Amino acid sequence: MTQTTDGAAVADAPPPARSTGPRIHRAWIVAAVTFVTIIGGAAFNSLPGLLIDPLHTEFGWSRGEIGLAVSVDMALYGLTAPFAAALMDRFGIRRVVVAALCAVAAGALASVWMTASWQLMLYWGLLVGLGTGSMAMAFSATVTNRWFVARRGLVTGILTAAGASGQLVFLPLCAWIVDRHGWRPASVTVALAALVVVPFVLILMRDHPADVGLAPYGGTFVEKPAPATGAATRALRVLLDAARTGPFWLLAGSFAICGASTNGLVRTHFVPAAHDHGMAITAAASLLAVIGVFDVIGTVFSGWLTDRFDARRLLAVYYALRGVSLLLLPMLMAPAVHPPMVLFIVFYGLDWVATVPPTLALCRERYGDDSAIVFGWVLASHQVGAALVAFLSGVARDATGSYDLVWYASGALCATAALMVLMIRRGRGAEPAPAAG
C-alpha cells in the first residue's frame, strides 16, 4: 500500500505480467512437421525414373506402358489435391495425412509382388497417386493459410522445397539400392519412409491454431470454424465458380506446362535419356538429386521474392528461362558429366518449382478463402500436364529412339506459359462471372 499526498491509502499497481507464450510460435512446429511429412510422402517420386529400365528388362514392358502407369499416378496426384483440401476442412489435417501415408506405403509394398503391367497401374497409379495427391501442394496451402498470416510466401517456398529435399535424400539412396540390390528393396525403402513419418503427424500436427489457443503467426486469434460438410460438393462448387473467371484458365494452363516440363519430363525421363547417351544410371540419378539441392534454394528464394514483387512477372521470367534451358539440353547429353551439364543442372534446379509460390500467391489474391481448393485444381492441371508428357515421352522414345523431340517441344511450351501468365490482370478478388445470356 502507498499513500497519496492527502494521506489516502491506495493499493500498489500490480507488476507487469510476464509473457507465458512460447518462444517459438507453434505455427513453425506445424510447418516443420508438414515439411517432414512431404519429404516422407515424396520419397516415391524418386523411383519412376530409376525403374523404367529395370522393369523393361525384367518384364519386357514397353516404356510407353511404364510411362502410362506413372502418368496415372501423376494425374491422380493432381486430381486428388482439391478433394483432399476439402477433406481436411471436414475431417482435419491429421486424419487425412495419416491415411495418405498409409496408402503410399501399401502401394509401394504391393508392387514388390506384381507380375503384370495392370498391377503396376493399380499399385503405382491408384494407391500411390491417391496417397501422394492427398499430401500435395494443396496440403501446404491449407497449413499455410490456417497457421500463417505473416511470411506466407516464405513458408510456401519452404514447404514446396520439401518435395525437392525428399528427392535429394532418396534419389542417390534408391539409385544405389537399385544398382546393387535391384528395384524391389528400393520400393520397400520408400514404403518404410512413408510409415516412419506417421508418428510425427499423430503427435505434433494440429489442425488449427485455435486447437492450442493461439492466433495464427502474425495474425489475430480466430475461432476454429465448424467442420465443413460435403467435401466433394464444395470442391466441385469452387471449381465451377473459378472456371467462370479468366485468371483460373491462365493459371491452370501455365501450370500444366510447368508440370509437363518438370515432373512429367525431367523427373521421369532424364535418367533413361542420359543412360541412352552412355551415362551410368547412378551418375544420372546423382545429377537429378543435385537438382533437388538447388530446387530448395530456388524455391525458398522465390517465396521471398513473391512477398516483394509482382508474381506475374516472376512467373514469366521463370518459364522463359526454363524454356531456353530445355532447348539447349539435347546438345549437353554425353556419356560423362561435364561442366555445361552441371551448369544446366544448377540452373534447372533453381527454376524447378520456383513457380509455386507466385502461382499460389495469385490464387490467394484472386480467390480468397477458397484459394487452397482453387490451387488444388490448378495443381491438378499441373499433374495432368505431367501425366500426358510422362506417357507421350515414353511413346516418343519407343517410336524414334530418342528424347530430342520431347525436349524441343517442352521448351516451346514454356515460352507459351510465359506469355500466358503476363495476360493475368492484377486485382483483388475473383473476377465476377459473366452475366447469363
Side-chain angles (χ1 to χ4, degrees):
M1 302 289 287
T2 58
Q3 288 187 330
T4 61
T5 54
D6 60 2
V10 296
D12 292 331
R18 296 182 63 185
S19 172
T20 58
R23 288 179 170 233
I24 299 177
H25 195 284
R26 183 63 178 264
W28 294 107
I29 297 175
V30 172
V33 175
T34 304
F35 187 92
V36 173
T37 301
I38 295 172
I39 288 177
F44 178 83
N45 292 331
S46 303
L47 278 184
L50 300 176
L51 302 193
I52 288 178
D53 285 336
L55 292 177
H56 174 70
T57 300
E58 179 173 339
F59 297 107
W61 301 335
S62 71
R63 291 174 176 82
E65 285 181 291
I66 300 169
L68 181 59
V70 176
S71 71
V72 171
D73 164 62
M74 290 184 175
L76 282 177
Y77 178 96
L79 293 171
T80 302
F83 295 99
L87 286 171
M88 288 175 189
D89 289 341
R90 174 67 180 88
F91 298 105
I93 295 174
R94 280 194 296 180
R95 291 179 181 178
V96 173
V97 171
V98 167
L101 288 166
C102 291
V104 172
L109 280 176
S111 67
V112 171
W113 294 281
M114 65 185 176
T115 57
S117 59
W118 68 264
Q119 294 170 333
L120 179 69
M121 294 179 196
L122 175 63
Y123 304 145
W124 278 20
L126 182 63
L127 283 177
V128 175
L130 290 174
T132 55
S134 298
M135 296 178 292
M137 297 171 193
F139 170 37
S140 302
T142 301
V143 170
T144 304
N145 288 350
R146 290 186 185 183
W147 282 90
F148 291 87
V149 174
R151 302 289 187 269
R152 277 180 171 171
L154 177 63
V155 174
T156 300
I158 293 172
L159 295 183
T160 303
S165 299
Q167 178 176 297
L168 170 63
V169 171
F170 287 101
L171 251 177
L173 174 62
C174 289
W176 180 84
I177 293 174
V178 170
D179 187 53
R180 297 294 182 89
H181 304 288
W183 65 270
R184 287 179 176 83
S187 192
V188 172
T189 300
V190 166
L192 293 177
L195 292 176
V196 163
V197 180
V198 170
F200 291 93
V201 177
L202 290 174
I203 296 171
L204 297 175
M205 177 64 73
R206 293 295 180 272
D207 293 328
H208 195 278
D211 289 342
V212 288
L214 293 176
Y217 181 79
T220 57
F221 181 83
V222 292
E223 294 290 342
K224 182 178 181 178
T229 58
T233 301
R234 184 186 175 205
L236 293 173
R237 176 184 57 78
V238 169
L239 171 63
L240 291 175
D241 290 343
R244 300 172 70 187
T245 67
F248 173 79
W249 293 107
L250 293 170
L251 286 167
S254 59
F255 219 43
I257 294 172
C258 178
S261 58
T262 53
N263 292 358
L265 181 56
V266 175
R267 175 173 288 168
T268 305
H269 292 284
F270 177 81
V271 171
H275 189 56
D276 283 347
H277 289 265
M279 186 178 293
I281 289 179
T282 51
S286 296
L287 288 176
L288 206 54
V290 172
I291 285 181
V293 176
F294 289 94
D295 188 1
V296 174
I297 298 170
T299 307
V300 174
F301 185 53
S302 179
W304 183 86
L305 290 174
T306 301
D307 286 332
R308 291 161 175 79
F309 298 101
D310 183 353
R312 301 172 310 141
R313 297 184 185 278
L314 289 175
L315 284 173
V317 171
Y318 296 159
Y319 286 128
L321 293 177
R322 181 185 298 178
V324 172
S325 67
L326 286 173
L327 292 174
L328 295 175
L329 181 58
M331 295 180 285
L332 304 179
M333 290 291 187
V337 178
H338 51 85
M341 176 60 82
V342 173
L343 182 61
F344 167 83
I345 292 297
V346 170
F347 175 81
Y348 209 80
L350 292 173
D351 188 80
W352 183 281
V353 287
T355 55
V356 172
T359 300
L360 180 53
L362 288 172
C363 288
R364 190 180 295 120
E365 176 185 306
R366 289 280 176 174
Y367 302 104
D369 292 340
D370 290 329
S371 61
I373 297 177
V374 172
F375 181 71
W377 286 113
V378 172
L379 176 63
S381 71
H382 179 282
Q383 292 306 115
V384 169
L388 285 173
V389 170
F391 171 61
L392 293 176
S393 296
V395 172
R397 169 62 178 80
D398 288 334
T400 67
S402 170
Y403 284 100
D404 288 357
L405 178 62
V406 184
W407 302 124
Y408 294 137
S410 295
L413 284 174
C414 288
T416 303
L419 295 176
M420 291 174 70
V421 294
L422 290 175
M423 294 171 62
I424 301 173
R425 294 198 301 269
R426 300 193 67 179
R428 290 198 167 273
E431 292 181 358

